[in-house]
Amino acid sequence: MTKDSRAKRDARALQERTGGSYVAARRVTSQPTAARFNEDQCANCMQRLAPQIEGLFCSELCGQYASTVRYWRRIVRDGRIDNPDVRVALNVRIAHLLAGGYARRARHLPDETRAQVWRRDENRCRMCSAPGAEIDHVEDDSPDLANFQLLCTACHRKKTESRMSPASNEQQEAMNKIYRERVVPDQPMLLCDDLQEWASAEARLRAERRGRLLDELAEYGYDRRDFPGYSWQDMWDAVLDEPEEDDFDANGIDDDSGFGPDSYFARAMAKDD
């Protein structure tokens, strides 16, 4: 008897016993949940963003975490994770995260300075004299020309690895958690983890956040043009440093300053009479 015939026979027997036809339960499959993003919260850590922050991340470090997760997801899915050079690149990224982030802005090298380093070092690695490939900061983030050197890729990697220290148990667990929750699943947990969606959505979301903050600025009675030459953060610091209405009395006189009848100055003068 074939499998199909046996199934039909069992169905008929069930119908005879129960008086009804066999009905298969329909399996309910859960739909993939949408990647999380909440406006006016950091796209990486989901903390509330202060108005002084115009972007979508609460810090440069959070932005670098999101960028690393996207890179990690990409190399896992395209198979480059098996390439030793790519694994080294990933480990360097993770090491920078665990050390507090990479000071990208501070380490930006102007084209003129870059050309000076290449000329000074005569296109050769300062450590082994092989053809140079990458410019390295000798010590810290200082922009002085003396703090730059030309290195080949192998020497640069060797120097970078020599400055790495083993991650603590807590750090290892934190990165394992990111791998399990944000790298492995096909459905990105956060919108900033999504390789395709984030690239197309980031500029739009930034513009929307800026618009909301400008609307909020208008509620304070200000316009962006009221702060010529101010950075975004300096502008909002100035707005939020304005005294609250409760700091003044009904006559608009500050209780502890100025020269009104209830001012500190008036009370002090009264004591001298």
Side-chain angles (χ1 to χ4, degrees), residues 107-161:
R107 286 178 167 251
H108 174 72
L109 206 57
D111 291 340
E112 181 180 351
T113 304
R114 187 179 299 276
Q116 287 179 309
V117 175
W118 278 85
R119 285 196 302 269
R120 185 201 62 194
D121 293 348
E122 300 178 341
N123 303 336
R124 312 297 296 185
C125 173
R126 290 273 292 272
M127 295 180 70
C128 72
S129 299
E134 303 166 358
I135 294 178
D136 168 61
H137 284 72
V138 177
E139 288 297 337
D140 48 29
D141 297 336
S142 170
D144 294 339
L145 185 63
N147 193 45
F148 299 116
Q149 63 181 350
L150 190 61
L151 298 178
C152 65
T153 301
C155 285
H156 198 180
R157 178 185 299 175
K158 186 182 300 183
K159 179 191 171 186
T160 300
E161 291 177 345

Side-chain angles (χ1 to χ4, degrees), residues 67-133:
S67 175
T68 298
V69 168
R70 290 194 301 276
Y71 175 73
W72 203 345
R73 288 176 61 85
R74 183 180 296 111
I75 63 177
V76 165
R77 281 155 181 76
D78 64 19
R80 285 183 296 148
I81 190 67
D82 296 326
N83 183 320
D85 290 338
V86 174
R87 290 190 71 89
V88 168
L90 174 63
N91 288 336
V92 169
R93 279 178 173 244
I94 292 174
H96 280 303
L97 293 180
L98 295 179
Y102 183 81
R104 191 180 306 279
R105 294 186 183 92
R107 286 178 167 251
H108 174 72
L109 206 57
D111 291 340
E112 181 180 351
T113 304
R114 187 179 299 276
Q116 287 179 309
V117 175
W118 278 85
R119 285 196 302 269
R120 185 201 62 194
D121 293 348
E122 300 178 341
N123 303 336
R124 312 297 296 185
C125 173
R126 290 273 292 272
M127 295 180 70
C128 72
S129 299

Side-chain angles (χ1 to χ4, degrees), residues 29 69 85 98 115 132 173 177 192 194 197 206 218 226 242 252:
T29 58
V69 168
D85 290 338
L98 295 179
E173 178 53 36
K177 187 172 187 290
C192 65
D194 196 300
E197 290 297 322
R206 285 177 64 95
D226 295 333
E242 285 289 321

